Amino acid sequence: MPGPRVVSLVPSLTEAVAVSAPGLLVGATDWCVRPAGLDAVRIGGTKNPDVAAIAALRPDLVIANEEENRAPDLAALRAAGLSVLVTEVRTLEQAFTELERVLVAGCGLAVPRWLDDARRAWEAPEPPPYERRAAVVPVWRRPWMVLGRDTFAGDLLARLGVANVYGAHPERYPRIPLDELRASGAGLVVLPDEPYRFTADDGPEAFPGLPAALVDGRYLTWYGPSLVRAPEMLRAALRRADRARCTTPPPPRP
């Protein structure tokens, strides 16, 4: 018996479904780049999906996320008579729960092996081989925006020994002036390559004298098969930043 026809509006969930049960996905966003070679109709972006195109695919289920997707688009999909499963992922445990809800309750699958592997990878992370310290975690510049309270990425970093300086901020993604970021007392800046593509030449120079951990955004912000290797990959990036700290000259005196 064929499985349900699924449209995914979330890159992380697209990868999770496609890896677990190739063939279920009939539609995905333009930003759904994994797994490579995904054979699914493209239905627009996460913030501007083509509702008519999605309805034309006759999906049994549309999977979405309360942060990635806009409420008016989800309402329009429901008004078109489609079943929409909306996830909320703000912690690692919530990610595991929601992935199981999507794959098992939503798609009718058994719990995939990679999800069990991901749980094991995060069960008892080894002590960090670097100094524990507070960090600012920009996700955008022009204007500068950072991780605030109640974020999935912040929870992952906390489990790896990195405290988010703005983790108690009333906003989840506050805009903070660069001068304030520099004066925050952070001992580290963590720079992911998405949603803004920070690189060695674009980001670290704004924080002179502060070690920078350049991390693959997929391992920091995606909740799916990438969670299996995320502890290893993030820890390696943080270790490199810690080593660089030992060779970074102090900032010039004013």
Side-chain angles (χ1 to χ4, degrees):
M1 180 177 177
R5 295 170 59 83
V6 179
V7 169
S8 172
L9 304 183
V10 186
S12 296
L13 298 179
T14 296
E15 183 180 27
V17 173
V19 167
S20 305
L24 289 191
L25 280 169
V26 295
T29 76
D30 299 335
W31 298 104
C32 294
V33 296
R34 289 180 180 270
L38 177 67
D39 183 19
V41 175
R42 301 298 169 161
I43 47 74
T46 57
K47 307 298 185 186
N48 58 343
D50 186 332
V51 173
I54 295 171
L57 291 172
R58 297 177 291 105
D60 300 298
L61 181 68
V62 178
I63 51 179
N65 175 264
E66 51 91 28
E67 181 175 299
E68 294 252 12
N69 309 118
R70 301 185 317 133
D73 295 323
L74 303 181
L77 290 166
R78 291 190 178 99
L82 302 179
S83 175
V84 182
L85 189 161
V86 182
T87 59
E88 179 183 278
V89 177
R90 302 191 182 189
T91 66
L92 177 63
E93 285 305 321
Q94 200 173 23
F96 289 143
T97 298
E98 291 290 62
L99 283 164
E100 191 162 328
R101 184 163 73 103
V102 167
L103 297 171
V104 178
C107 297
L109 305 174
V111 175
R113 177 179 298 177
W114 66 258
L115 186 51
D116 287 335
D117 290 342
R119 288 184 185 274
R120 281 191 292 271
W122 285 95
E123 264 177 8
E126 60 191 63
Y130 42 77
E131 180 184 339
R132 293 178 180 267
R133 54 192 182 277
V136 291
V137 191
V139 293
W140 201 259
R141 68 183 300 177
R142 304 183 192 94
W144 286 93
M145 298 175 65
V146 299
L147 292 185
R149 66 169 181 83
D150 198 21
T151 65
F152 172 71
D155 187 45
L156 293 195
L157 289 172
R159 292 167 185 268
L160 298 174
V162 177
N164 178 11
V165 169
Y166 292 97
H169 195 281
E171 297 178 29
R172 297 185 67 219
Y173 300 99
R175 297 185 181 189
I176 308 292
L178 182 57
D179 287 348
E180 185 176 328
L181 294 178
R182 289 171 172 167
S184 67
L188 173 72
V189 57
V190 177
L191 298 168
D193 64 5
E194 60 177 74
Y196 185 91
R197 188 172 180 78
F198 288 107
T199 68
D201 299 319
D202 184 358
E205 82 291 340
F207 301 89
L210 201 62
L214 294 163
V215 303
D216 185 329
R218 178 168 171 259
Y219 292 116
L220 183 62
T221 64
W222 286 43
Y223 34 91
S226 59
L227 284 172
V228 177
R229 295 195 64 202
E232 166 197 356
M233 301 302 289
L234 293 173
R235 191 178 289 113
L238 294 166
R239 186 185 304 117
R240 287 191 295 270
D242 191 65
R243 289 172 180 166
R245 177 180 64 89
C246 299
T247 59
T248 300
R253 292 181 180 276

